[in-house]
Amino acid sequence: MTTPATLMEIATRMPKAELHLHLEGTLEPELAFELAARNGVGLRFSSVEELRRAYDFDDLQSFLDVYYETAEVLRTRQDFYELTAAYLRRASADGVTHVEPFFDPQTHTARGVEFGEVVSGIVSALRDGAAEHGITWRLIMCFLRDQPAADAMATLQAALPYRDVIAGVGLDSAEVGNPPEAFVEVYTRAREEGFAAVAHAGEEGTADDVRRTLDLLGVARIEHGVHAMDDPALVERLARDRVPLTVCPLSNVKLRVYETLAEHPLRRMLDAGIMATVNSDDPAYFGGYVAENYRACIRELGLSRDDLRTLARNSFEASFLPAAEKAAHLAHVEAFFSAMEA
Ligand code: ADE
Ligand code: ZN
């Protein structure tokens, strides 16, 4: 008989991929203050505690306001290196063996930080993390959907020399009022250039936003997608076509998409045969890194050991790794669960 404590241990230790993680959202208040001091950037908060107290959000926009403000402390290649390295240490402790992190280039280039400085800091930490922790990676850059599509196109142009280290494009920031239609041209171009495509949809938006994001942007995965559950025909399509949804349970509660985790649809997604994955989104702001997201779902949604195994498998199957690397990661999942049964 598996005790709840053992399930918690499995959730923490099982090999897993994290596919929905904003590097800027891993900026812990302590590091924010350190970088603010180093770079001579003023923060309107007087202490780490005061900044942490501001992490009480009503919705996505109230979070984004703090997230973009705090991101202003990130200036140099070294800052992006330290941010990414700190995330990888935490991820490794949480059993993460593959990561496909996002970054928001426009948040930094709009302040005069060079695109290449951002990328080279992140990539050099990812390379060191692969050597130190054995974490494989694919990097995804997100366009800000509340900025003009022309800026997204310029960002895509800036990324072309970095095609060897940027695997894909995404779309984030305020969803309501910024539908996918404006980004058709930039996504078409990005896919022609060989980038994988993902996009946030159905976080605060509707099931119809999810459907149009799939149809218009040609994405391989939907980030969040929780509101797809409002439309049975779409649920059937997602399950049939094995479209991965990168679900972020603690994020959805912090941003009040659901008032409590007990109301979260993850359990229903799995029951409907949807390829859901569990992720942390912006863990410095939302009260938990990826393993804590799994543990909270065990407590509140009653996830079983079989659910954990399915979610671990889904996380690698939904990744952009080539088949042989996927198979190697999946073999580690199977070995882990077999050892648990022995
Ligand atoms: N940027 C960072 N986190 C985000 C989220 N959860 N939704 C949209 N944009 C984001
Ligand atoms: Zn996100």
Side-chain angles (χ1 to χ4, degrees):
M1 179 76 186
T2 308
T3 65
T6 309
L7 271 185
M8 296 296 174
E9 239 175 74
I10 292 172
T12 308
R13 289 176 35 219
M14 67 181 188
K16 57 181 77 66
E18 180 151 50
L19 305 180
H20 186 156
L21 180 281
H22 302 262
L23 285 169
E24 293 87 348
T26 69
L27 180 56
E28 293 285 345
E30 290 79 4
L31 182 58
F33 270 89
E34 197 182 315
L35 298 184
R38 187 159 89 194
N39 294 328
V41 178
L43 281 174
R44 91 184 137 87
F45 305 95
S46 61
S47 66
V48 164
E49 291 70 32
E50 196 187 325
L51 177 54
R52 224 181 265 288
R53 273 199 298 277
Y55 294 179
D56 182 22
F57 309 114
D58 299 322
D59 55 15
L60 175 58
Q61 190 60 55
S62 66
F63 154 69
L64 290 171
D65 292 343
V66 179
Y67 166 87
Y68 291 130
E69 184 179 345
T70 316
E72 289 188 21
V73 304
L74 295 162
R75 293 283 155 113
T76 67
R77 179 185 182 283
Q78 181 66 20
D79 299 341
F80 288 95
Y81 181 94
E82 289 176 24
L83 177 74
T84 307
Y87 163 68
L88 291 170
R89 279 193 295 276
R90 292 191 159 92
S92 179
D94 272 3
V96 172
T97 55
H98 177 68
V99 62
E100 300 192 353
F102 306 135
F103 72 112
D104 290 337
Q106 288 158 271
T107 301
H108 314 298
T109 54
R111 299 181 286 116
V113 181
E114 291 279 339
F115 187 97
E117 289 283 292
V118 179
V119 174
S120 98
I122 292 172
V123 167
S124 102
L126 289 169
R127 285 184 172 141
D128 288 353
E132 195 175 330
H133 309 294
I135 299 179
T136 55
W137 56 275
R138 291 289 182 275
L139 182 60
I140 298 175
M141 67 165 192
C142 287
F143 305 119
L144 300 183
R145 68 195 310 156
D146 54 357
Q147 302 298 314
D151 292 3
M153 192 61 97
T155 303
L156 178 61
Q157 295 283 358
L160 294 180
Y162 301 94
R163 253 177 306 199
D164 56 331
V165 289
I166 299 176
V169 299
L171 188 64
D172 65 1
S173 207
E175 182 182 7
V176 174
N178 298 299
E181 278 75 4
F183 297 93
V184 170
E185 197 185 335
V186 69
Y187 265 72
T188 303
R189 178 79 202 282
R191 285 186 285 103
E192 281 167 7
E193 291 287 351
F195 290 99
V198 302
H200 285 56
E203 177 186 19
E204 287 191 337
T206 63
D208 194 54
D209 290 315
V210 173
R211 182 183 294 104
R212 290 183 354 273
T213 299
L214 285 169
D215 292 341
L216 297 172
L217 303 186
V219 296
R221 293 199 296 249
I222 292 285
E223 319 300 2
H224 293 293
V226 284
H227 283 118
M229 296 308 287
D230 300 338
D231 180 337
L234 181 58
V235 169
E236 213 179 294
R237 171 181 171 183
L238 294 171
R240 184 196 62 219
D241 295 348
R242 294 178 65 73
V243 178
L245 302 188
T246 60
V247 176
C248 306
L250 290 177
S251 163
N252 292 154
V253 175
K254 261 299 211 186
L255 302 187
R256 305 186 71 170
V257 175
Y258 302 99
E259 286 306 312
T260 66
L261 194 54
E263 295 162 54
H264 195 280
L266 176 65
R267 164 90 271 156
R268 286 188 287 124
M269 290 171 155
L270 293 173
D271 291 344
I274 285 178
M275 200 201 275
T277 66
V278 167
N279 309 270
S280 68
D281 205 5
D282 301 284
Y285 294 88
F286 298 155
Y289 283 75
V290 67
E292 183 53 28
N293 274 267
Y294 281 99
R295 290 189 297 259
C297 290
I298 293 168
R299 285 192 294 268
E300 300 298 324
L301 297 172
L303 294 189
S304 65
R305 180 174 23 197
D306 279 352
D307 293 327
L308 293 175
R309 188 184 200 143
T310 299
L311 287 164
R313 290 189 61 88
N314 287 356
S315 73
F316 294 108
E317 274 168 6
S319 75
F320 290 126
L321 287 170
E325 282 188 61
K326 264 187 204 183
H329 280 288
L330 287 167
H332 288 136
V333 173
E334 290 315 310
F336 176 86
F337 279 93
S338 300
M340 285 290 136
E341 272 152 28

